[in-house]
Amino acid sequence: MPAYITWERYEHNVARLAANRARSDAMGAPRAGASLLQGLLVCKRCANRMTVRYDKQGRHVYVCERLKSEYGGEACQRLSGPSMDDFVIGQVLKALEPATLELSLEAAGHIEKEREELDELWQKRLERAA
């Protein structure tokens, strides 16, 4: 295997790094939590990306407080996380046909399996480190 990458691969890597920045103009990297729309919602009032906040029980809410934090103004809006997620899930499922739904469920199963394998890997690393 060569000790370098192609120019196309380099450009792909740079674009991915830019997209994973934790900034309001980038979608950001997915993070742990129950939020379905993390990094995807944009505030209608100020056009900034909304953030997710979790309470002690693990419930989430989508918030936009950019104007408040940067300019001392009022918070733009807060949306109930579970309600918004349920609405989006309903709309997506309505748009999908049964055959497509089966493929989506299969893909979700693969993702869940990958997460379990990753969790097992981390548990083994923790055991070795202890």
Side-chain angles (χ1 to χ4, degrees), residues 6-7 12 16 18-19 24 27 29 31 35 38 50 70 73 75 89 97 110 120:
T6 64
W7 184 254
H12 172 76
R16 184 147 207 189
S24 64
M27 194 169 0
R31 300 192 182 177
S35 167
Q38 176 182 354
M50 296 180 77
E70 290 186 7
I89 289 169
E97 297 191 19
H110 288 298
E120 288 176 22

Side-chain angles (χ1 to χ4, degrees), residues 58-78:
R59 292 178 302 230
H60 62 287
V61 62
Y62 298 105
V63 298
C64 180
E65 297 180 339
R66 178 81 52 183
L67 296 178
K68 181 180 179 181
S69 65
E70 290 186 7
Y71 303 107
E74 296 293 318
C76 287
Q77 57 185 324
R78 298 174 74 83

